[in-house]
Amino acid sequence: MSEKVGQHLLAQREAILDRLQSLLRLPSVSTDPAYAAGMAAAREFLMERLRALGLQDVQLLEGGGQPAIYASWTGAPGRPTIIVYGHYDVQPPDPLELWLSPPFEPAIRDGRLYARGASDVKGSTLIAVETVGAFLAVEGGCPVNVKFFLEGEEEVGSPSLPAIIEKYRDLLTADAMLSADGGRGSTTTPTVSIGCRGITALQFSLRTAAKDAHSGRVGGAVRNALHEMAKLIASMHDEQGRILVEGFLDGALDVTQDIRAESAALPFDEAAWYAALGAAPFGDPDYSVRERTTVRPTVEVNGMWGGYTGAGGKTVLPCEAHAKLTMRLVPGQDPAAAQAAVRRHLEARCPAGVALEFHYRPGGTRAFTLGPQHPLLLAAERVTEWVHGQRPVRVRAGGTVPITTLFQESLGIDSLMFGLAMPDEDAHAPNEFFRLSSLEEGLRSWPLLLTELGQLSPADFPKRG
Amino acid sequence: MSEKVGQHLLAQREAILDRLQSLLRLPSVSTDPAYAAGMAAAREFLMERLRALGLQDVQLLEGGGQPAIYASWTGAPGRPTIIVYGHYDVQPPDPLELWLSPPFEPAIRDGRLYARGASDVKGSTLIAVETVGAFLAVEGGCPVNVKFFLEGEEEVGSPSLPAIIEKYRDLLTADAMLSADGGRGSTTTPTVSIGCRGITALQFSLRTAAKDAHSGRVGGAVRNALHEMAKLIASMHDEQGRILVEGFLDGALDVTQDIRAESAALPFDEAAWYAALGAAPFGDPDYSVRERTTVRPTVEVNGMWGGYTGAGGKTVLPCEAHAKLTMRLVPGQDPAAAQAAVRRHLEARCPAGVALEFHYRPGGTRAFTLGPQHPLLLAAERVTEWVHGQRPVRVRAGGTVPITTLFQESLGIDSLMFGLAMPDEDAHAPNEFFRLSSLEEGLRSWPLLLTELGQLSPADFPKRG
């Protein structure tokens, strides 16, 4: 009976808010060793809370870096087993001088809780933890079996995550994953997240001569590495930004009428969006801006450099140039194949006498999508409609959430992002905040969602891999 | 009677070599304030030597930076007045660890004098000084009036030179300039220098949005500054390196049959040249490599950068990109017009919504050429033929020697580069050296050249401006 659980949670709202503020006071910055004590304190805080709430097998999962926190409650035989994902690490607080109140001293102003990590993602993580605890306190059990997996390296690219998953594979068997990270796509319209783009990366260098030369002495008779780099990069898109890399789109999702309708369902003010970025409208005119940024792939140069870049001038004819690329992928694209297509494109256009060298990690992350009838999705839609009195819009994210693909590929399970954060809450920036209204919505939504999932049997969840 | 003067100089060869080594021990690095004492010591050494040789009016010409050294002998009324140019500053010696003997401890190995500044240009400067001194000692006078102008900022781009020339304009009246810097175009074939390319520079930035954005969130719908930069740079040349900038070539020298023949007269092994650079053959197939690098203009990107260039990756969609360009100019091209043509080309191809910003100093340096019947040139050819027993080849340099143009435009006089350095002597690099045979050739050539010029009257020299 999630109703009693929800009432219990809402009655405890102030205590939970106090607890969240305590957690936010612990500076758990994963990227900087100077914050090791803050990381340890956040781990202890959460493990202590999980134990106090009656979770079992509370332990650290070690993978060589910051450990993940594990805790389980498996007292619902025959019911689905759900991994509940969150992370206890946060981004660095710099630049400190732009914060209106100190980043690790939570402050409430105008219904918003300001602190580093409030939105990303201690708020939503604690909502998930408290929800499971409330079921145990009120009902003596949870509608589903729960395995908490609270990562400590999300903000640094999850370097140990594959090793942790590999090492604790048996512990992590489950029917699905619910993530407290990621989720809401709009501040005004209720949404459910049905997927995100994948990613693959490529770095390359090109060389036109054994060493830099004097532009007066050889200029006109030796290839300039920067000119060659410019020609290669320019060859990858047409004037309207369409990708010209042969084979790159192989297998890519067709943007059907259904997908168009789905994409158009979220109210989106293109003019306001461009105005906020200070940019002019751009991109493949066959697709809307929402489509371009979610269901169409990209090839982007993230960095490009060569020659003399200091103050003043230097009459050098550079022999080396470098570029870093990332490609966002849509469902159906294979990261290795997409990467190989870009490489082939560059190799085919590289003139004789110019040496190309590629530096890349093989593969990448496939796009992730929940099927339109996936039980996680249908349950999330029902719950969101109850809570908001309005049917949510299905949205895809343009970015990449590697954990969704990693859990799918490693553990064979699908994920639903059901975090409460909103896209305007300055995650990763000064004055990060979390809406107090979101705390309340989370304490209403999560019990409902666990209850809905408890109506299902493990066989209802598609298994992959 | 230059013969007696030449004999006197050759008899004193060892003393002059000792004196050159003393000068080379003085670390006169103009770019680094830590070498201020070395600069002052080199100035004192040369001023003392000029006084000892009987030059008059020895003084420093101040222009705000490192002063130039001036000294004159004007005891030949009715004869031409020649400014003798050299410089006493040198390049920094770094990287020190690559020197086989310390850069400021001259060492002789295999007929070569190794030291920073030996080739560029203390060796040739001292030859000029000693030659004039020998005339005064042996003959009691010089065949021409001489005004030494020994610069102290040549290696840092001569920032004070225009101010010095402007301030001491009356002191610097002359019929021609003879430079101890620059000159020999080959280690095997005698050459005389008849000109060099000019230069103009341009730096620009482009902006596609108000700030960098997340490549997942906006990728596909916002212009990437690096893609735009690549398209602009790629638009300036065709696949064979021909310049596509409309108006850039306006006024440029026609490469006539005469110029072709002149360029072809210097033996030049294209395959060996490319092999030494570690580069593949490239450039406008309508011209030889020598022509491409001397009588055809260039547009070169010296540096280009934007986005994330550190280790690893960053999924940024960069809003800013930057490029530094220099253009080598041939006779007939106006630097300001060439610069404006490049700017117009970029502006015309810059899409709406992309902001271009240019940073440049107006103007630049025109190409310099001595007319085919110029008395400086004819005299240098006669002298070189006597010394080498072989008629020299007329060569143009691909680089730029701003002083030639500056003296022409400011003082209305033409210049001849008559230095003894050879192009393989690692000027600006570790283990710079000067051939002892060049010292001897210089001590034979310079007296002959001054004697030849003494046969002329001031009216024989064309005046400009």
Side-chain angles (χ1 to χ4, degrees), chain A residues 222-243:
Chain A
V222 169
R223 286 187 189 274
N224 181 317
L226 299 179
H227 300 187
E228 301 302 325
M229 176 58 81
K231 283 190 197 299
L232 288 181
I233 299 301
S235 73
M236 297 199 297
H237 300 84
D238 73 7
E239 293 300 323
Q240 295 185 288
R242 293 185 194 91
I243 297 167

Side-chain angles (χ1 to χ4, degrees), chain A residues 197 199 203 208-211 213-231 233-239 241 273-274 276-284 289 292-294 296-318 321 324 326 328 349 351-354 397-400, chain B residues 197 199 203 208-211 213-231 233-239 241 273-274 276-284 289 292-294 296-318 321 324 326 328 349 351-354 397-400:
Chain A
R197 290 195 283 195
I199 195 167
Q203 181 170 335
T208 55
K211 54 185 175 180
H214 187 287
S215 75
R217 202 168 71 82
V218 308
V222 169
R223 286 187 189 274
N224 181 317
L226 299 179
H227 300 187
E228 301 302 325
M229 176 58 81
K231 283 190 197 299
I233 299 301
S235 73
M236 297 199 297
H237 300 84
D238 73 7
E239 293 300 323
W273 189 81
Y274 279 115
L277 292 166
F282 179 68
D284 189 339
V289 170
R292 287 174 218 159
T293 54
T294 56
R296 294 292 295 166
T298 68
V299 175
E300 295 287 348
V301 181
N302 308 118
M304 179 169 74
W305 70 102
Y308 180 71
T309 60
K314 187 176 178 190
T315 54
V316 64
L317 192 146
K324 291 175 191 279
T326 47
R328 297 282 171 179
R349 274 152 195 82
V354 178
T400 306
Chain B
R197 291 194 281 195
I199 195 168
Q203 179 170 338
T208 54
K211 54 185 175 182
H214 187 287
S215 74
R217 202 167 71 81
V218 308
V222 170
R223 287 187 188 274
N224 181 317
L226 299 177
H227 301 188
E228 301 302 325
M229 176 59 79
K231 283 190 196 299
I233 299 301
S235 73
M236 298 199 296
H237 299 85
D238 73 7
E239 292 301 322
W273 189 80
Y274 278 114
L277 292 167
F282 178 70
D284 189 338
V289 171
R292 286 174 219 159
T293 55
T294 56
R296 294 291 295 166
T298 68
V299 175
E300 295 287 349
V301 181
N302 306 118
M304 178 170 73
W305 71 100
Y308 180 71
T309 61
K314 187 176 177 189
T315 52
V316 63
L317 193 146
K324 290 174 190 281
T326 49
R328 297 282 171 180
R349 275 152 195 81
V354 179
T400 306

Side-chain angles (χ1 to χ4, degrees), chain B residues 401-461:
Chain B
V401 186
I403 189 151
T404 56
T405 305
L406 189 65
F407 274 57
Q408 194 176 71
E409 294 183 347
S410 306
L411 302 173
I413 61 174
D414 288 320
S415 303
L416 174 74
M417 287 177 278
F418 202 66
L420 278 298
M422 283 182 170
D424 67 341
E425 292 178 340
D426 285 325
H428 298 207
N431 303 306
E432 175 177 353
F433 68 91
F434 187 56
R435 287 173 168 83
L436 295 183
S437 57
S438 295
L439 177 62
E440 193 161 320
E441 283 165 30
L443 295 176
R444 293 172 62 206
S445 304
W446 273 74
L448 291 167
L449 183 61
L450 293 188
T451 303
E452 283 299 297
L453 297 178
Q455 310 295 314
L456 303 170
S457 93
D460 292 327
F461 291 88

Side-chain angles (χ1 to χ4, degrees), chain B residues 367-404:
Chain B
F368 176 81
T369 324
L370 274 179
Q373 298 302 322
H374 197 285
L376 282 172
L377 176 59
L378 299 179
E381 286 183 322
R382 285 195 297 274
V383 166
T384 306
E385 184 166 2
W386 293 334
V387 170
H388 293 275
Q390 184 181 347
R391 184 149 185 81
V393 175
R394 294 180 171 188
V395 295
R396 296 169 194 260
T400 306
V401 186
I403 189 151
T404 56

Side-chain angles (χ1 to χ4, degrees), chain B residues 324-348:
Chain B
K324 290 174 190 281
L325 279 68
T326 49
M327 285 67 77
R328 297 282 171 180
L329 308 176
V330 298
Q333 283 182 291
D334 174 63
Q339 198 180 50
V342 172
R343 180 177 170 149
R344 277 197 312 273
H345 175 95
L346 295 170
E347 285 171 339

